[in-house]
Amino acid sequence: MKNMLAFAKAFLLLLSAVSFVLNAHGQDVLVSGKVSSNDGVPLPGVTVLVKGTTIGTVTDFDGDYSLGVGDEDATLVFSFIGYTSQEVPVNGRSIINLEMTEDVQSLEEVVIVGYNAKKQSELSSSVSVISGEDIRDVTSNSLPNLLQGKAAGVVVSNSSGNPTSEANIVIRGSSSISAGSSPLYVVDGIIGGTANPNDIESVTILKDAAATGLYGSRAANGVIIITTNSGKSGKTRVNVSSTVGFNRATTGNFEVMDAQQLYDYQKTFWDPATWERDRPASLLSQNTNWQELAYRTGITQNHVLSISGGSDKTQFYVSGNYYKEEGTVRHTGNEVINIRTNLTHNINEKLRLSVRLNAQTSRGEDEASGNYGAISAAIRNIPWDNPYNPDGSIKIGTEPGWIGREADNFLHGWQYNFDRNREEVMTGDINLEYYILPNLTFSTYNRASYSHEKAELYYDVRAKAGKGTGELTNNIYYSRNLITSNRLNYDKSFGKHGLSAILVGEAEKNFRDENTLFGKNLAPGLHVMDAAANIIASGSPGNTSENVFSKGLVQVDYNYDNRYFAIGSYILESSSRFGANNRSANFYTLGSSWILSNEGFMKDQELFDMLKIRASYGSTGNASIGDYQSLGLYSFGRQYAGNPASYPYQLANPFLTWEKVKTLDIGLDISIISRISLNLDWYDKTSKGLLLDVPLPYTSGYSSITKNIGSVGNRGVEINLNTINFNKQDFRWETNFNISFNNNKVLALNEGKAITVDN
């Protein structure tokens, strides 16, 4: 941190010197005024520059500015992201007010990257942007499900049809073997957080090192940045929407045999001498469709109410959402209630406050029929078995005459068993932005979040899975997360040059504990732990863990004449998860791009709206492992001779550190006649120092030790094509096509030896 403090001082001195040099010009004529949008809303952060000079300023929170122009015949240039730049002659005036016009094409390009916003044309990175409208073309309460097929190189998969099961996202192939492969989520500018899909304004997916590198040790698997809706000045807007849909499981070309088909098939290999005895023709009188019994047409409903608006000083957005999904497997489902409030208030002309609160409560159910589960049993059970007794009661599957190998009727377990969970999550942000100087801003982003979850799995004594005693498992989880991110931003335009820099200091602390109780011998229907005759520990009865991250970074971004762009960053991050000798790690990123379509030799062509080449290289890391894996640990959950006992459980590794990933990306962006846009990317991503459990000789007293061993490579190509086929006032037709090819390869392991895992 001493190095970072010294760097911060040098950084501030440099900015002060640059500001002094850039503004050290004659300023005889003072011009002031207010800049607003075409609907009268003040615009803070608008750049006001004296044309042909380096003299400039930016508007404050109220849209006001004041600038010494030096010459009453000067011309002022007003520019702001999302609005058309305008040149206004001074003509001796001392007050110039201006209404800026939105540039629709430019607005669609503005994206959140790292800790700031940029036009997409100015990026030197591989980035995919999906608007809130585009992700809501499918009804789901899970963001990963909504991102499926929306961006090249982003693979979304779900191994379960349970609505409570979150889908898995992998960006540009898995960069690890045993550490996590999920991307880092950033909500409203801060790592972590929660957001309901109905409140999302846009999603930005960062893929290469130039974009992800700012997030240092946790960006090896890509970054997903979520921006939620905010209120706008003007009339209060009320939006109400309701969606009801139906879901049906699909099995593709997979089919199971009916009674006749199975009878004919078995006859081809059965011993003819015993066929009539073992498989009498009377079996054909029963033809049970087990899949029809296991599955259903589920109903999904989503109801949203949002209110937004505000004044020049205060803007607000409040929303409520009720979502309920019935799973296509019977006795599965998910019910969620979400409430969000986003509030922004300009305290004075230099200070702005933002408060964001998000609360969510959910209840989920998974089917708990028995040992095999309904999905598996629906395939394994055979059509000759009748699930019902002659009196209409449901069979267990163990009765005489049951032919199926598993001897299990999931309908019976459904009468008594259940697998349910409930969760409450609360997240609160308090952010402040302060304009120190016209080109220098300090901001602090702070978040506290809390979650509590309880899961219950109950097997009734009357069900086969209850094993004749009845079983109940309770899992209780609690987590608390605190993070602060403090940033110093500098942004200056002088002539054809543009310079921006950011200095960031972050600290994060995460805490989690969990407890498990297992009870046996419960009377029928009494699914509370107090009713269990025996309450015992099952595996690990509980644990507590916490971790701390701290980070310092600096990034400098330069562009010349909107043609040449360069960006570089340095990140120093520390984590308590790693060994005492390797807590800190250094990461860096470099990127550049060249917009050929802005060159003079292309000014007369009318085919290309945008033709850009970009390249980036950098290092990121992966810290997705459990806490305390670098420490030497003892286990105390044992007894010896009736007394509490402990034994060495884990061998220390004080040199354990991050997995490090180096990525090279080369890209081409093309836009033709404002109707066709094509993005091509080639990348080469190599992970080294994988976090793996390396086997040890049993004579050591330990089975393994976690080390930085091995390497994984990912190399691939991404293609994204967008076309506007028809665009009129009342009708717009667009198409989107994306495809990616990724080659994933394990390059090295433990000295060429296999890594084995004991199960």
Side-chain angles (χ1 to χ4, degrees):
M1 291 305 295
K2 291 182 179 180
N3 293 335
M4 290 304 301
L5 290 174
F7 186 85
K9 293 178 180 178
F11 177 80
L12 290 174
L13 289 173
L14 175 62
L15 295 185
S16 299
V18 171
S19 296
F20 176 79
V21 171
L22 295 178
N23 290 289
H25 297 272
Q27 299 181 357
D28 302 324
V29 178
L30 184 66
V31 177
S32 60
K34 179 184 287 288
V35 181
S36 59
S37 64
N38 49 16
D39 56 1
V41 178
L43 294 177
V46 176
T47 299
V48 185
L49 187 69
V50 179
K51 186 177 181 179
T53 74
T54 61
I55 303 172
T57 187
V58 294
T59 58
D60 60 22
F61 285 130
D62 294 321
D64 296 325
Y65 73 94
S66 180
L67 179 66
V69 299
D71 186 351
E72 63 180 13
D73 295 324
T75 298
L76 298 183
V77 180
F78 296 82
S79 59
F80 189 53
I81 290 179
Y83 289 80
T84 303
S85 296
Q86 297 185 42
E87 296 186 3
V88 180
V90 175
N91 291 334
R93 292 176 293 174
S94 60
I95 298 178
I96 298 177
N97 298 320
L98 180 69
E99 287 189 357
M100 299 192 72
T101 303
E102 289 185 355
D103 183 347
V104 176
Q105 182 176 355
S106 178
L107 276 172
E108 293 175 350
E109 289 184 338
V110 177
V111 297
I112 304 296
V113 183
Y115 295 92
N116 50 19
K118 283 187 176 183
K119 290 183 180 179
Q120 203 162 358
S121 61
E122 298 174 349
L123 297 178
S124 300
S125 311
S126 180
V127 173
S128 293
V129 183
I130 304 106
S131 68
E133 290 76 12
D134 288 340
I135 68 170
R136 287 190 287 271
D137 58 359
V138 176
T139 302
S140 176
N141 202 55
S142 168
L143 178 61
N145 289 335
L146 298 175
L147 293 177
Q148 191 166 24
K150 302 296 185 183
V154 179
V155 178
V156 181
S157 60
N158 196 330
S159 60
S160 170
N162 184 4
T164 64
S165 176
E166 189 78 0
N168 182 50
I169 294 182
V170 175
I171 299 175
R172 289 187 168 179
S174 178
S175 301
S176 182
I177 293 177
S178 61
S181 60
S182 298
L184 177 71
Y185 284 86
V186 177
V187 178
D188 288 329
I190 315 179
I191 290 173
T194 58
N196 186 277
N198 297 286
D199 297 324
I200 293 177
E201 180 178 329
S202 66
V203 176
T204 304
I205 302 175
L206 311 183
K207 303 176 185 178
D208 69 345
T212 64
L214 291 179
Y215 296 102
S217 69
R218 287 170 286 179
N221 301 311
V223 180
I224 296 179
I225 298 178
I226 299 170
T227 303
T228 61
N229 293 321
S230 298
K232 296 181 179 180
S233 301
K235 294 181 179 180
T236 299
R237 302 171 179 86
V238 179
N239 294 312
V240 180
S241 67
S242 291
T243 304
V244 178
F246 301 92
N247 312 311
R248 186 70 182 173
T250 59
T251 57
N253 294 325
F254 177 80
E255 294 182 5
V256 296
M257 297 181 185
D258 61 19
Q260 184 66 57
Q261 291 169 331
L262 182 61
Y263 186 86
D264 295 339
Y265 171 69
Q266 290 195 2
K267 191 174 183 179
T268 62
F269 59 81
W270 210 270
D271 183 359
T274 62
W275 175 252
E276 294 292 340
R277 182 196 67 197
D278 297 338
R279 293 292 184 264
S282 59
L283 292 175
L284 296 174
S285 63
Q286 180 64 37
N287 187 22
T288 303
N289 188 334
W290 290 101
Q291 289 191 314
E292 190 174 272
L293 295 174
Y295 293 93
R296 66 180 173 185
T297 298
I299 299 176
T300 298
Q301 51 182 313
N302 189 34
H303 309 288
V304 184
L305 170 64
S306 67
I307 305 173
S308 63
S311 62
D312 296 344
K313 289 286 186 180
T314 305
Q315 299 85 43
F316 65 90
Y317 171 86
V318 181
S319 75
N321 171 230
Y322 174 76
Y323 178 89
K324 184 176 182 180
E325 179 180 357
E326 294 178 346
T328 55
V329 177
R330 299 179 191 274
H331 297 281
T332 65
N334 192 25
E335 185 178 26
V336 181
I337 298 174
N338 194 93
I339 298 174
R340 170 172 285 275
T341 299
N342 291 348
L343 178 68
T344 301
H345 177 66
N346 296 331
I347 298 174
N348 54 43
E349 63 180 13
K350 287 195 171 185
L351 186 62
R352 177 165 59 188
L353 169 69
S354 296
V355 177
R356 301 174 183 270
L357 298 174
N358 191 67
Q360 178 178 291
T361 177
S362 62
R363 295 179 180 271
E365 180 184 16
D366 197 1
E367 74 90 16
S369 56
N371 298 329
Y372 298 103
I375 297 177
S376 176
I379 298 173
R380 295 168 181 247
N381 287 359
I382 61 178
W384 300 328
D385 287 323
N386 188 341
Y388 300 99
N389 292 306
D391 62 358
S393 60
I394 300 176
K395 293 181 179 179
I396 297 176
T398 57
E399 293 84 353
W402 188 275
I403 302 173
R405 181 182 63 184
E406 273 66 43
D408 186 52
N409 181 8
F410 55 83
L411 298 181
H412 186 271
W414 277 349
Q415 297 178 108
Y416 311 110
N417 307 334
F418 64 80
D419 184 356
R420 301 170 186 160
N421 67 80
R422 66 175 186 266
E423 183 179 18
E424 293 83 34
V425 180
M426 174 73 77
T427 300
D429 298 358
I430 297 180
N431 310 326
L432 287 169
E433 292 181 73
Y434 181 70
Y435 276 46
I436 302 173
L437 297 170
N439 303 101
L440 188 64
T441 306
F442 172 77
S443 57
T444 177
Y445 287 68
N446 306 276
R447 171 180 292 151
S449 59
Y450 146 90
S451 69
H452 180 269
E453 180 181 359
K454 182 178 181 180
E456 293 182 284
L457 175 60
Y458 173 68
Y459 290 133
D460 193 279
V461 64
R462 293 164 290 184
K464 184 178 179 181
K467 300 177 182 178
T469 61
E471 298 179 355
L472 176 63
T473 303
N474 285 346
N475 291 290
I476 299 174
Y477 308 92
Y478 168 84
S479 66
R480 182 183 66 246
N481 313 93
L482 302 171
I483 183 170
T484 179
S485 178
N486 303 284
R487 308 160 188 180
L488 195 62
N489 288 79
Y490 177 80
D491 198 345
K492 183 72 175 180
S493 295
F494 45 101
K496 295 182 178 181
H497 305 272
L499 177 68
S500 63
I502 183 170
L503 186 69
V504 178
E506 283 186 357
E508 178 182 356
K509 185 173 184 178
N510 305 299
F511 172 85
R512 178 181 174 89
D513 67 20
E514 58 184 83
N515 291 282
T516 301
L517 284 178
F518 178 69
K520 297 181 67 175
N521 294 313
L522 294 96
L526 295 181
H527 42 77
V528 292
M529 197 58 71
D530 193 41
N534 303 95
I535 301 177
I536 59 177
S538 176
S540 175
N543 65 72
T544 299
S545 65
E546 61 182 356
N547 61 69
V548 176
F549 287 83
S550 62
K551 176 172 65 180
L553 74 87
V554 61
Q555 176 180 278
V556 178
D557 199 339
Y558 170 79
N559 79 81
Y560 175 76
D561 198 23
N562 201 33
R563 290 183 290 164
Y564 311 113
F565 300 84
I567 186 171
S569 61
Y570 166 76
I571 305 98
L572 174 64
E573 185 151 8
S574 301
S575 174
S576 63
R577 285 180 167 172
F578 298 110
N581 298 336
N582 273 325
R583 290 263 164 85
S584 300
N586 300 302
F587 304 93
Y588 64 91
T589 66
L590 298 169
S592 62
S593 59
W594 176 25
I595 303 180
L596 284 79
S597 53
N598 287 347
E599 291 287 356
F601 60 80
M602 294 193 70
K603 65 180 181 180
D604 295 328
Q605 63 85 29
E606 298 180 354
L607 178 63
F608 295 102
D609 305 304
M610 166 67 70
L611 181 60
K612 180 173 70 172
I613 300 173
R614 50 185 167 76
S616 66
Y617 182 77
S619 65
T620 53
N622 192 349
S624 299
I625 61 172
D627 300 324
Y628 315 127
Q629 291 196 20
S630 68
L631 303 179
L633 301 178
Y634 280 75
S635 174
F636 289 83
R638 296 292 185 271
Q639 291 185 356
Y640 180 78
N643 298 309
S646 64
Y647 69 94
Y649 170 73
Q650 180 175 285
L651 188 62
N653 181 2
F655 297 96
L656 192 70
T657 190
W658 281 270
E659 294 184 350
K660 290 191 175 181
V661 181
K662 294 185 177 180
T663 305
L664 171 65
D665 186 282
I666 299 175
L668 176 66
D669 299 329
I670 302 173
S671 177
I672 301 175
I673 59 174
S674 300
R675 286 184 176 272
I676 302 172
S677 61
L678 176 67
N679 308 103
L680 303 174
D681 277 274
W682 175 88
Y683 61 88
D684 190 348
K685 183 169 65 169
T686 303
S687 306
K688 294 185 177 180
L690 302 183
L691 294 161
L692 294 172
D693 291 335
V694 178
L696 294 174
Y698 284 107
T699 54
S700 68
Y702 302 91
S703 61
S704 64
I705 183 174
T706 304
K707 289 185 176 182
N708 294 101
I709 293 290
S711 178
V712 169
N714 284 276
R715 181 177 293 176
V717 175
E718 296 174 352
I719 303 171
N720 191 81
L721 176 65
N722 294 283
T723 63
I724 301 175
N725 308 308
F726 194 86
N727 189 16
K728 296 296 182 181
Q729 183 175 358
D730 299 325
F731 182 75
R732 182 181 176 93
W733 174 27
E734 298 183 17
T735 57
N736 175 274
F737 171 80
N738 67 76
I739 190 171
S740 60
F741 305 90
N742 183 76
N743 182 26
N744 179 273
K745 185 177 182 180
V746 176
L747 303 177
L749 286 176
N750 180 28
E751 299 177 351
K753 301 176 183 178
I755 298 291
T756 59
V757 179
D758 293 330
N759 293 320

